[in-house]
């Protein structure tokens, strides 16, 4: 079972925190700090597995993390999960985020925390892996977002317009016309006087 | 009241804060605005406000006043509201507050909603934070959804069912009929979660486990399809078809095949196939192989398959990827008990891992190396482990040192090698050695009688340069105190004897006493060692007397007491000094459940003479000693480790029909109110007495402890005796105990 999923940046600021086991708010914040402390000490070329800190259950639980640019993605799991499998899961999660946000970066996660939560909810439920097929997840998320937008009323009009244009199937403007070997000679017409 | 700002604005504002205090101020202002907006019961902006509240909650600020608002959002008709409401419920609410029960009705309605996404939201929330009451109420709905044909809902319902089962295990039977067709699904998402549900049920109940064993052929078939299916773009991850599902199925197979021959046999082929056909260039392939190996090791697989599994692990060890190596070492640690020989084959690779830079890998390699040491490879392995001890991080040194001691004790090929190894550990990691290692080492040294000269010489050389490592100095002082005469006389056979004078030895012991680095315990050792040398050295007794008298005014109370008593020994009891400071006898091996006890004071082991030994022969007869001050002598004997004979003369307790039982009385060293009685039973008849059992009873205020007798047969014609030790505790120190036999 996955006990917690944490995303924080290189300075320890939390970007997403989801706990699948009940902890009080103070404990949650302490866990985030402790996990950051443990994970940030790690060198770049060591393995991605760590024993969990004392707050999160000690050596029975493992921290499996991946470092992408400025963000740490940390999954705290117990012994029933396969470590290598979780590494793959983190990869799928990040790729899904990439697909949903188009070249995702830290700012996307900062300003759209609720959307990230929704995507995560499609992948992991109650501490267990729900869906790992990226396309399936993206389809569901898109459908739900559409549902939201249809309810938004007048305030959502600009957003709807933007997505409508995105979804329009405009034919491609031909950039170069190649009509074979026919060379068209342009006659030298006199200038208009 | 102006419209509350959007979440985006809030985030932007907070990011401009430069200090923690500024951020706190902004958040407090916004919280106040949100609170007043909640009071106005504004439906339009509630969703926005709760979203902001959740963001602030993530940053660590209290957000409990939003809990009821989340409930109101859940009850709303709009999908947007419900989405944020359920998210808020998952983040803010928990079982300990009664508020969450109010959600139950909403969730029930939403589970039957027409829009699948709303149903999905409700299932998700129930599956994340549903309490046992909620689960009990809503289990029926979940079960209904488990049978639906909508795969989106079915997979969510399966995981929700897992949560319900975890919270309320009695409801497991309810979900049993719905599981019948779960594995027939084509949708991988549903298959995946169904396997999770089946796994959970099998882990919880042996009946379920037996029931689901019949699914093994179906699982094998699904796995086979996955491997053979070729390229399918929707489930492909780095070239392998749905590795997550493969791993899940392998795990379920492991649980089903454990301890069951038939199932294990049905799985053998597919496991071999997965093990050989999976590509190992990417992490996904390795994840599947790892799971396969764990399954093979856990079920009753045939030996060929097990060897294949261990070879895969061996290959993992050579992989460049650290994660793979870590995982391989962890699994080998689990299997080393059962398949010891197979793991031995990879010993050299494992030992190489000791030199890895990664701390996690080093720790695993160290544990595994200790598990692999046996009589044949002990010399080679020790060399590697000692080298590791030299170069490893401090957090490992204590564990490594203890491990080396244990392994050396079990498999030492010769006493000299053993002592050399211990010396090496003490000199390289001397300060990290655990406290209980010192008594064990001292006992070991005492027992290797022929190595005394060699040991003391090496220890002397070791502390000559550096006496900062406390355990090393303690052991060395003790040895020099005991065997100083061998050191000075240059009797060593094993190696070149060094020329040491008595003064040089006393120099080093005195520097230990003076040094700031010496702990109080170490100083105690050194002082006692100096005292013991007064009987072993011939020329320097005056110097020793001087040193001892100086410490009579030491600030350290323990040292002072010792010095005063040693001084008294020089002055008043000089006739006893040689006897009291005699060489220590060979100590018996300590076993935790044996009849003997080790008596320790102040962490010293000089006291470890066992009660079963008769008093040493050098002591004066009992009646003469009673004139002296018993308290002082007993305290001294505590340091020197002898038993003090009590004033009670030995008696013959019973002498009838050829059976004679003698009692000898001694006072125990640690506790003056405990009397130790040694009984000797002899038999002067013509026949052996068998099944001899001695029983004793004492008055109520006393406590009696009978240790095991030396045997239960007394041979005839007084040719042998049975010895048994009895301890009597007189807590009130009333006059001599009278026992009833």
């Amino acid at each position: 079972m996955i006990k917690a999923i944490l995303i924080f940046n290189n300075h320890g600021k939390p970007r997403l925190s989801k706990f699948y086991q009940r902890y009080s708010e103070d404990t949650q914040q302490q866990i985030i700090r402790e996990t950051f402390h443990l994970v940030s000490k790690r060198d770049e070329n060591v393995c991605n597995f760590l024993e969990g800190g004392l707050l999160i259950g000690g050596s029975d639980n493992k921290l499996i993390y991946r470092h992408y640019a400025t963000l740490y993605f940390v999954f705290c799991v117990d012994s029933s999960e396969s470590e290598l499998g979780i590494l793959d899961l983190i990869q799928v999660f990040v790729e899904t985020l990439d697909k949903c946000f188009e070249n995702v970066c830290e700012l996307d996660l900062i300003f759209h925390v609720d959307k990230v939560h929704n995507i995560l909810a499609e992948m992991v439920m109650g501490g267990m892996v729900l869906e790992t097929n990226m396309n399936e997840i993206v389809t569901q998320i898109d459908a739900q977002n559409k549902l939201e937008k249809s309810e938004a009323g007048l305030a959502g009009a600009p957003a709807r317009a933007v997505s409508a244009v995105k979804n329009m199937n405009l034919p491609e403007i031909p950039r170069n016309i190649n009509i074979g070997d026919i060379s068209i000679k342009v006659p030298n017409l006199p200038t208009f006087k | 009241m102006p419209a509350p700002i959007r979440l985006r604005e809030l985030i932007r504002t907070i990011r401009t804060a430069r200090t923690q205090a500024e951020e706190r101020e902004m958040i407090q202002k916004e919280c106040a605005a949100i609170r007043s907006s909640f009071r106005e019961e504004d439906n339009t902006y509630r969703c926005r406000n709760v979203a902001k509240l959740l963001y602030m909650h993530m940053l660590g600020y209290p957000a409990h006043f939003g809990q009821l608002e989340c409930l109101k959002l859940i009850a709303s008709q709009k999908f947007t509201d419900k989405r944020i409401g359920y998210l808020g419920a998952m983040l803010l609410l928990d079982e300990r507050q009664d508020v969450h029960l109010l959600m139950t009705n909403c969730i029930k309605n939403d589970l039957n909603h027409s829009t699948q996404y709303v149903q999905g939201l409700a299932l998700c929330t129930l599956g994340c934070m549903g309490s046992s009451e909620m689960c009990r109420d809503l289990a029926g709905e979940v079960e209904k959804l488990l049978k639906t044909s909508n795969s989106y809902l079915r997979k969510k319902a399966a995981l929700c069912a897992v949560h319900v089962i975890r919270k309320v295990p009695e409801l497991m039977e309810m979900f049993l009929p719905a599981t019948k067709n779960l594995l027939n699904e084509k949708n991988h998402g549903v298959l995946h979660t169904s396997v999770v549900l089946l796994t959970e049920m099998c882990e919880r109940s042996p009946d379920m486990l037996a029931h689901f064993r019949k699914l093994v052929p179906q699982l094998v078939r699904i796995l086979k399809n996955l491997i053979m299916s070729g390229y399918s773009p929707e489930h492909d991850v780095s070239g392998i078809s749905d590795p997550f599902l493969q791993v899940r199925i392998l795990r379920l197979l492991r649980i089903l095949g454990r301890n069951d021959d038939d199932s294990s046999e049905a799985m053998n082929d597919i496991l071999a196939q997965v093990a050989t056909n999976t590509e190992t260039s990417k992490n996904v392939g390795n994840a599947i192989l790892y799971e396969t190996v764990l399954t093979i090791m856990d079920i009753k697989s045939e030996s060929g398959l097990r060897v294949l599994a261990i070879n895969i692990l061996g290959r993992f060890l050579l992989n460049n990827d650290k994660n793979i190596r870590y995982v391989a070492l962890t699994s080998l640690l689990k299997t080393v008990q059962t398949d010891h020989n197979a793991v031995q084959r990879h010993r050299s690779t494992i030992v190489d891992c000791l030199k890895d830079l990664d701390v996690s890998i080093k720790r695993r390699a160290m544990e595994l190396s200790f598990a692999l040491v046996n009589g044949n490879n002990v010399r080679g392995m020790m060399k590697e482990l000692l080298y590791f001890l030299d170069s490893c991080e401090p957090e490992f040194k204590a564990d490594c040192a203890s491990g080396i001691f244990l392994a050396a004790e079990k498999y030492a090929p010769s006493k000299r090698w053993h002592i050399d190894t211990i010396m090496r550990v003490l000199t390289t990691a001397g300060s990290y050695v655990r406290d209980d290692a010192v008594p064990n080492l001292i006992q070991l040294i005492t027992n290797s009688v022929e190595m005394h000269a060699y040991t003391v010489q090496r220890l002397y050389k070791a502390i000559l340069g550096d006496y900062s490592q406390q355990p090393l100095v303690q052991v060395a002082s003790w040895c020099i105190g005991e065997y100083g005469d061998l050191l000075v006389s240059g009797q060593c056979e094993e190696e070149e004897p060094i020329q040491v004078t008595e003064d040089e030895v006393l120099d080093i012991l005195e520097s230990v006493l003076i040094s700031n680095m010496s702990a109080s315990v170490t100083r105690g050792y050194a002082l006692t060692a100096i005292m013991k040398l007064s009987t072993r050295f011939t020329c320097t007794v005056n110097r020793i007397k001087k040193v001892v008298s100086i410490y009579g005014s030491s600030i350290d109370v323990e040292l002072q007491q010792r010095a005063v008593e040693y001084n008294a020994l020089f002055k008043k009891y000089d006739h006893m000094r040689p006897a009291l400071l005699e060489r220590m006898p060979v100590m018996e091996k300590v076993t935790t459940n044996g009849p003997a006890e080790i008596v320790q004071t102040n962490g010293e082991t000089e006291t470890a003479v066992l009660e079963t030994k008769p008093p040493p022969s050098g002591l004066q007869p009992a009646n003469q000693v009673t004139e002296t001050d018993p308290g002082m002598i007993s305290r001294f004997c505590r340091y020197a480790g002898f038993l003090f004979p009590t004033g009670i003369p030995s008696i013959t307790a019973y002498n009838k029909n050829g059976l004679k039982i003698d009692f000898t009385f001694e006072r125990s060293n640690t506790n003056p109110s405990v009397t130790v009685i040694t009984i000797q039973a002899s038999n002067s008849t013509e026949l052996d007495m068998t099944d001899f059992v001695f029983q004793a009873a004492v008055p109520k205020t006393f406590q009696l402890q009978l240790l095991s007798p030396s045997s239960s047969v007394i041979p005839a014609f007084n040719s042998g005796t049975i010895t048994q030790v009895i301890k009597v505790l007189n807590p009130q120190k009333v006059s001599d105990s009278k026992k009833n036999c």
Side-chain angles (χ1 to χ4, degrees), chain B residues 121 198 319 338 355 419 518 520 532 654:
Chain B
L121 279 179
L198 291 173
N319 197 313
T338 42
K355 307 196 182 87
I419 291 191
S518 300
S520 169
K532 283 191 201 167
Y654 182 89

PDB file of all heavy atoms in Angstrom, chain B residues 121 198 319 338 355 419 518 520 532 654:
ATOM      1  N   LEU B 121     -16.316   9.934  -8.430  1.00  0.00           N
ATOM      2  CA  LEU B 121     -15.851  10.777  -7.332  1.00  0.00           C
ATOM      3  C   LEU B 121     -16.253  10.189  -5.987  1.00  0.00           C
ATOM      4  O   LEU B 121     -15.464  10.151  -5.045  1.00  0.00           O
ATOM      5  CB  LEU B 121     -16.462  12.177  -7.448  1.00  0.00           C
ATOM      6  CG  LEU B 121     -15.823  13.160  -8.400  1.00  0.00           C
ATOM      7  CD1 LEU B 121     -16.619  14.457  -8.369  1.00  0.00           C
ATOM      8  CD2 LEU B 121     -14.390  13.428  -8.018  1.00  0.00           C
ATOM      9  N   LEU B 198      -8.552  -9.525  -5.275  1.00  0.00           N
ATOM     10  CA  LEU B 198      -8.359 -10.942  -4.967  1.00  0.00           C
ATOM     11  C   LEU B 198      -7.171 -11.137  -4.040  1.00  0.00           C
ATOM     12  O   LEU B 198      -7.227 -11.939  -3.110  1.00  0.00           O
ATOM     13  CB  LEU B 198      -8.141 -11.724  -6.274  1.00  0.00           C
ATOM     14  CG  LEU B 198      -9.359 -11.827  -7.177  1.00  0.00           C
ATOM     15  CD1 LEU B 198      -8.976 -12.461  -8.501  1.00  0.00           C
ATOM     16  CD2 LEU B 198     -10.448 -12.640  -6.524  1.00  0.00           C
ATOM     17  N   ASN B 319      24.598  -5.617 -12.607  1.00  0.00           N
ATOM     18  CA  ASN B 319      24.001  -4.551 -13.395  1.00  0.00           C
ATOM     19  C   ASN B 319      24.548  -3.195 -12.961  1.00  0.00           C
ATOM     20  O   ASN B 319      24.879  -2.979 -11.807  1.00  0.00           O
ATOM     21  CB  ASN B 319      22.477  -4.606 -13.164  1.00  0.00           C
ATOM     22  CG  ASN B 319      21.709  -3.840 -14.210  1.00  0.00           C
ATOM     23  OD1 ASN B 319      22.042  -2.714 -14.528  1.00  0.00           O
ATOM     24  ND2 ASN B 319      20.693  -4.456 -14.754  1.00  0.00           N
ATOM     25  N   THR B 338      17.612 -20.134   3.147  1.00  0.00           N
ATOM     26  CA  THR B 338      17.099 -21.375   2.566  1.00  0.00           C
ATOM     27  C   THR B 338      18.012 -21.946   1.488  1.00  0.00           C
ATOM     28  O   THR B 338      18.191 -23.142   1.392  1.00  0.00           O
ATOM     29  CB  THR B 338      15.722 -21.137   1.946  1.00  0.00           C
ATOM     30  OG1 THR B 338      15.753 -19.894   1.250  1.00  0.00           O
ATOM     31  CG2 THR B 338      14.662 -21.061   3.022  1.00  0.00           C
ATOM     32  N   LYS B 355      32.431  -2.309  -1.674  1.00  0.00           N
ATOM     33  CA  LYS B 355      33.241  -1.151  -2.026  1.00  0.00           C
ATOM     34  C   LYS B 355      32.427  -0.102  -2.769  1.00  0.00           C
ATOM     35  O   LYS B 355      32.958   0.910  -3.203  1.00  0.00           O
ATOM     36  CB  LYS B 355      34.413  -1.585  -2.916  1.00  0.00           C
ATOM     37  CG  LYS B 355      35.204  -2.698  -2.277  1.00  0.00           C
ATOM     38  CD  LYS B 355      36.557  -2.876  -2.927  1.00  0.00           C
ATOM     39  CE  LYS B 355      37.308  -4.025  -2.287  1.00  0.00           C
ATOM     40  NZ  LYS B 355      37.059  -5.351  -2.831  1.00  0.00           N
ATOM     41  N   ILE B 419      42.654 -14.040  17.998  1.00  0.00           N
ATOM     42  CA  ILE B 419      43.150 -12.894  18.764  1.00  0.00           C
ATOM     43  C   ILE B 419      43.665 -11.815  17.825  1.00  0.00           C
ATOM     44  O   ILE B 419      43.450 -10.626  18.050  1.00  0.00           O
ATOM     45  CB  ILE B 419      44.223 -13.365  19.756  1.00  0.00           C
ATOM     46  CG1 ILE B 419      43.535 -14.210  20.813  1.00  0.00           C
ATOM     47  CG2 ILE B 419      44.938 -12.191  20.380  1.00  0.00           C
ATOM     48  CD1 ILE B 419      44.358 -14.546  21.986  1.00  0.00           C
ATOM     49  N   SER B 518      40.875   9.438  28.876  1.00  0.00           N
ATOM     50  CA  SER B 518      40.429   8.185  29.477  1.00  0.00           C
ATOM     51  C   SER B 518      39.114   8.389  30.208  1.00  0.00           C
ATOM     52  O   SER B 518      38.979   9.302  31.009  1.00  0.00           O
ATOM     53  CB  SER B 518      41.468   7.677  30.468  1.00  0.00           C
ATOM     54  OG  SER B 518      42.666   7.462  29.818  1.00  0.00           O
ATOM     55  N   SER B 520      36.205   7.311  33.006  1.00  0.00           N
ATOM     56  CA  SER B 520      36.364   6.916  34.408  1.00  0.00           C
ATOM     57  C   SER B 520      36.540   5.412  34.552  1.00  0.00           C
ATOM     58  O   SER B 520      37.349   4.925  35.351  1.00  0.00           O
ATOM     59  CB  SER B 520      35.138   7.415  35.168  1.00  0.00           C
ATOM     60  OG  SER B 520      35.098   6.870  36.424  1.00  0.00           O
ATOM     61  N   LYS B 532      47.736  -4.841  40.540  1.00  0.00           N
ATOM     62  CA  LYS B 532      48.044  -6.266  40.335  1.00  0.00           C
ATOM     63  C   LYS B 532      49.522  -6.451  40.042  1.00  0.00           C
ATOM     64  O   LYS B 532      50.133  -7.433  40.440  1.00  0.00           O
ATOM     65  CB  LYS B 532      47.245  -6.808  39.168  1.00  0.00           C
ATOM     66  CG  LYS B 532      45.791  -7.096  39.485  1.00  0.00           C
ATOM     67  CD  LYS B 532      45.176  -7.872  38.331  1.00  0.00           C
ATOM     68  CE  LYS B 532      43.690  -7.759  38.331  1.00  0.00           C
ATOM     69  NZ  LYS B 532      43.114  -8.235  37.096  1.00  0.00           N
ATOM     70  N   TYR B 654      24.275 -34.336  56.541  1.00  0.00           N
ATOM     71  CA  TYR B 654      23.524 -35.600  56.566  1.00  0.00           C
ATOM     72  C   TYR B 654      24.528 -36.730  56.414  1.00  0.00           C
ATOM     73  O   TYR B 654      25.421 -36.693  55.581  1.00  0.00           O
ATOM     74  CB  TYR B 654      22.547 -35.604  55.388  1.00  0.00           C
ATOM     75  CG  TYR B 654      21.663 -36.815  55.308  1.00  0.00           C
ATOM     76  CD1 TYR B 654      20.434 -36.842  55.968  1.00  0.00           C
ATOM     77  CD2 TYR B 654      22.036 -37.915  54.530  1.00  0.00           C
ATOM     78  CE1 TYR B 654      19.614 -37.941  55.876  1.00  0.00           C
ATOM     79  CE2 TYR B 654      21.203 -39.018  54.447  1.00  0.00           C
ATOM     80  CZ  TYR B 654      20.002 -39.034  55.112  1.00  0.00           C
ATOM     81  OH  TYR B 654      19.170 -40.116  55.029  1.00  0.00           O
TER      82      TYR B 654
END
